[in-house]
């Protein structure tokens, strides 16, 4: 591997280590942040939610910006914005300033993750690309796994402000690494730095002919005259951000207010309306933030769906199982954390194995079917949990879920990127990250909402249902049994969704291959 490629890989991997680590670890600091800044409730939770929403909403936009203006530039800009946000978080004097700073950090994180994934896709090809994305998946798994433990240690030893400052330093290291990267974008002219860009030039007027989404450009597009340079689809970007934000906020509110709440329904309907508007805008835009042709590529959509299930399938277990173990099984905080290593350890060890198997000839379609099936089976197997369950009883189902995640995490990105043209790598990685982050957030919220909904149906008291779901058991024996029943229902629902998605991915990949074979004959 050349020196430039090594620097590129190291800088991107640092981003995929630090950002998930801070995302999963910030929750540990919330009690101290609340005490220091005299904050609680929704305002305090926004320290986590604001970061996540900003990152999820901006990833597709960041990926498209990379295609237009340079993937290295987007990665570097993301690292700079992330560092500013983290440093401002360390210096924040009240909860409003902290929440604003965390939202800024989320915007930067979108640039780092979408830009970083696109940089790897443009820098590496073939088996080297598979290995690079497998390393990316391993690194992200490490960040998510050690985030709570490391952040807990840092917060305890140095305080939450110093912890945010350390992550600002990590952002500066990413920014320094970006200097050694080769830049690329969707164009064919030399860049000012002398590098040449592969792929057709898309920055000037587009010729008449087929568009990626199947439409034909028979003159100026309806959005106005064609420009001589790259243009950002501002209307599409703002509409997409609004749609994602309203949808995530609406689902989040449903846990407290219920699905029938007028506020929840209005928020979700508004989010859906903006999604419809977004797709209408993208059909008529010269430089769309999402070329709808990507959604018509069955293989690309199959791998995107696989990435969604890899994030969403284990999300409820990762987020809520520690609470169940402490409340119903009597585990300590440390014991619950150690138990979760049964799930996260395979995520750390197996991504390279998945990449190795594919590079040695194992059909990706078969491997992804096994991976998603294991996640479905693990959720179903975990439904055997009960208040007296021990770590030994949890070992097999948690390892099964973790193995399903580990085999394909990162590798799904490589397979998806292999389906798209070079000039759309940024857009593709942005969409992958948007689906994964948004899907993980939705799955986590839906799992928690399902627990509360089942408990409400069985107790008839919304306040009691919310209290039990949060692990506060006033009558331990009775309420532990109720919580266990709700968990079993949520796990079987998750297993069913994962199983259905496995069949869909298998069918989409098979249909695409059949279509390709038929066309060849």
């Amino acid at each position: 591997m050349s020196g430039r490629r090594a620097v590129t890989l190291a800088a991107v991997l640092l981003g995929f280590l630090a950002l998930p680590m801070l995302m999963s670890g910030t929750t540990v600091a919330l009690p101290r942040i609340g005490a220091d800044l005299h904050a609680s409730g929704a305002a305090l939770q926004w320290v986590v939610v604001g970061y996540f929403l900003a990152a999820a909403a901006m990833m597709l936009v960041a990926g498209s910006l990379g295609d237009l203006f340079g993937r290295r530039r987007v990665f570097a800009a993301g690292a700079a914005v992330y560092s500013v946000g983290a440093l401002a978080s360390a210096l924040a004097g009240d909860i409003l300033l902290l929440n604003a700073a965390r939202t800024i950090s989320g915007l930067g994180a979108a640039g780092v993750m979408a830009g970083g994934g696109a940089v790897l896709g443009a820098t590496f090809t073939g088996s080297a690309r598979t290995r690079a994305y497998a390393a990316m998946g391993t690194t992200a798994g490490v960040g998510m796994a050690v985030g709570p433990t490391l952040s807990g240690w840092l917060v305890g030893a140095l305080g939450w402000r110093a912890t945010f400052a350390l992550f600002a330093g990590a952002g500066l290291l990413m920014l320094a690494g970006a200097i050694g990267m080769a830049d690329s974008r969707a164009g064919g002219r030399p860049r000012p730095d002398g590098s040449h860009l592969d792929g057709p030039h898309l920055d000037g007027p587009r010729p008449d002919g087929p568009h990626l989404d199947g439409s034909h450009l028979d003159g100026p597009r309806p959005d106005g005259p064609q420009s001589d340079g790259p243009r950002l689809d501002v209307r599409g970007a703002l509409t997409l951000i609004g749609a994602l934000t309203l949808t995530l906020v609406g689902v989040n509110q449903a846990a407290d207010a219920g699905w029938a709440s007028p506020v929840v329904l209005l928020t979700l309907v508004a989010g859906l309306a903006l999604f419809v508007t977004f797709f209408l805008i993208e059909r008529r835009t010269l430089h769309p933030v999402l070329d709808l042709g990507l959604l018509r590529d069955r293989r690309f959509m199959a791998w995107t769906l696989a990435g969604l299930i890899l994030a969403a399938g284990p999300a409820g277990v990762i987020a809520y199982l520690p609470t169940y173990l402490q409340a119903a099984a009597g585990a300590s905080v440390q014991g619950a954390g150690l138990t979760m290593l049964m799930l996260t350890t395979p995520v750390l060890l197996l991504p390279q194995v998945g990449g190795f198997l594919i590079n040695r000839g194992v059909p990706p379609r078969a491997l992804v079917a096994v991976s998603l099936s294991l996640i479905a089976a693990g959720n179903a197997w975990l439904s055997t949990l009960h208040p007296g369950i021990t770590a030994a009883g949890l070992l097999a189902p948690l390892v099964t879920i973790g193995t399903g995640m580990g085999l394909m995490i990162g590798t799904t990105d490589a397979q998806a990127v292999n389906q798209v043209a070079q000039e759309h790598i940024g857009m593709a990685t942005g969409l992958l990250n948007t689906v994964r982050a948004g899907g993980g957030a939705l799955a986590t919220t839906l799992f928690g909402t399902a627990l509360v909904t089942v408990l409400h149906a069985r107790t008839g008291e919304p306040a009691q249902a919310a209290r039990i779901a949060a692990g506060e058991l006033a009558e331990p024996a009775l309420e532990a049994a109720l919580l266990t029943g709700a968990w079993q229902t949520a796990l079987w629902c998750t297993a069913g969704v994962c199983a259905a998605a496995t069949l869909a991915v298998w069918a989409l990949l098979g249909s695409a291959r059949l279509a390709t074979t038929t066309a060849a004959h």
Side-chain angles (χ1 to χ4, degrees):
M1 184 185 296
S2 67
R4 172 169 279 193
R5 285 189 171 191
V7 169
T8 297
L9 183 61
V12 173
L13 292 185
L14 176 59
F16 276 81
L17 174 68
L19 273 60
M21 185 180 296
L22 187 57
M23 187 181 295
S24 66
T26 301
T27 54
V28 178
L30 287 182
R32 291 203 178 187
I33 292 174
D36 290 348
L37 300 183
H38 309 290
S40 60
L44 183 60
Q45 288 300 320
W46 194 260
V47 175
V48 175
V49 175
Y51 177 93
F52 201 87
L53 277 177
M58 281 299 295
M59 280 182 185
L60 179 57
V61 177
S64 294
L65 284 173
D67 286 339
L68 288 174
F69 300 107
R71 291 141 190 165
R72 180 185 67 178
R73 289 184 177 182
V74 168
F75 178 86
V81 172
Y82 174 82
S83 300
V84 169
L87 183 59
S89 298
L91 300 175
D94 60 57
I95 193 64
L96 293 179
L97 290 176
L98 177 59
N99 286 334
R102 289 289 291 159
T103 301
I104 291 172
S105 288
L107 297 176
V112 170
M113 299 187 79
V119 165
L120 290 187
T123 302
F124 298 92
T125 59
S127 60
R129 176 184 284 174
T130 300
R131 290 192 297 271
Y133 276 110
M136 184 185 77
T138 299
T139 304
V142 171
M144 291 297 293
V146 306
T149 302
L150 180 59
S151 294
W153 179 82
L154 289 173
V155 170
L158 304 175
W160 62 270
R161 294 184 184 277
T163 300
F164 281 126
L166 285 175
F167 280 99
L172 294 177
L173 288 177
M174 293 179 238
L175 184 59
I179 297 174
M181 294 179 179
D183 206 357
S184 66
R185 64 184 174 98
R189 297 176 300 178
R191 295 292 298 227
D193 62 3
S195 61
H196 287 264
L197 304 175
D198 45 7
H201 175 49
L202 300 181
D203 290 344
R206 295 183 61 164
D208 295 346
H211 189 354
L212 184 60
D213 64 4
S215 63
H216 286 261
L217 303 179
D218 299 324
R221 295 294 292 263
D223 58 350
Q226 297 176 2
S227 64
D228 294 330
R231 287 169 44 187
L232 174 63
D233 175 17
V234 176
R235 290 185 302 162
L238 293 177
T239 304
L240 177 62
I241 292 169
L244 287 169
T245 300
L246 286 172
T247 301
L248 291 172
V249 169
V251 173
N252 188 57
Q253 289 176 328
D256 292 331
W259 291 103
S261 165
V263 173
V264 171
L265 291 175
L266 181 62
T267 304
L268 292 176
V269 169
L272 178 60
L274 284 181
F275 272 120
V276 173
T277 303
F278 170 72
F279 284 108
L280 293 175
I281 290 172
E282 298 310 275
R283 291 183 60 187
R284 300 172 58 83
T285 301
L286 180 61
H287 298 292
V289 71
L290 173 62
D291 199 312
L292 300 184
L294 286 176
L295 305 184
R296 294 192 176 97
D297 186 322
R298 288 184 173 183
R299 295 189 69 86
F300 178 79
M301 289 308 298
W303 290 112
T304 302
L305 176 59
L308 169 63
I309 298 304
L310 286 173
V317 175
I318 292 172
Y320 299 111
L321 185 59
T323 298
Y324 175 88
L325 294 177
Q326 294 174 66
S332 65
V333 175
Q334 295 80 4
L338 289 173
T339 299
M340 296 305 293
L341 289 176
M342 300 176 188
L343 188 152
T344 56
T345 298
V347 180
L348 311 184
L349 301 178
L350 293 180
Q352 292 293 335
V353 174
F356 174 84
L357 292 174
I358 289 177
N359 285 338
R360 290 300 183 274
V362 174
R365 183 189 184 206
L367 191 60
V368 73
V370 170
S371 175
L372 300 183
S373 296
L374 287 172
I375 294 176
N379 274 281
W381 198 346
L382 189 58
S383 67
T384 59
L385 88 171
H386 54 85
I389 197 166
T390 63
L394 293 167
L395 177 62
L398 291 182
V399 168
T400 299
I401 296 173
T403 301
M405 293 175 65
L407 281 175
M408 290 303 295
I409 190 171
T411 304
T412 53
D413 292 57
Q415 294 298 317
V417 168
N418 285 342
Q419 312 306 316
V420 303
Q422 192 80 355
E423 63 266 23
H424 289 293
I425 285 178
M427 183 185 294
T429 56
L431 178 59
L432 289 167
N433 280 295
T434 298
V435 169
R436 187 161 43 234
L442 281 172
T444 300
T445 304
L446 286 171
F447 195 97
T449 302
L451 294 178
V452 174
T453 301
V454 173
L455 287 166
H456 184 193
R458 295 180 179 178
T459 64
E461 294 290 339
Q464 182 184 9
R467 175 176 56 77
I468 295 173
E472 301 174 12
L473 307 184
E475 302 177 61
L478 174 62
E479 294 182 344
L482 290 171
L483 180 58
T484 299
W487 257 87
Q488 291 167 343
T489 300
L491 287 168
W492 277 111
C493 290
T494 302
V497 171
C498 292
T502 302
L503 295 175
V505 170
W506 178 265
L508 286 170
L509 291 177
S511 298
R513 183 171 60 184
L514 178 61
T516 301
T517 303
T518 302
H521 288 286

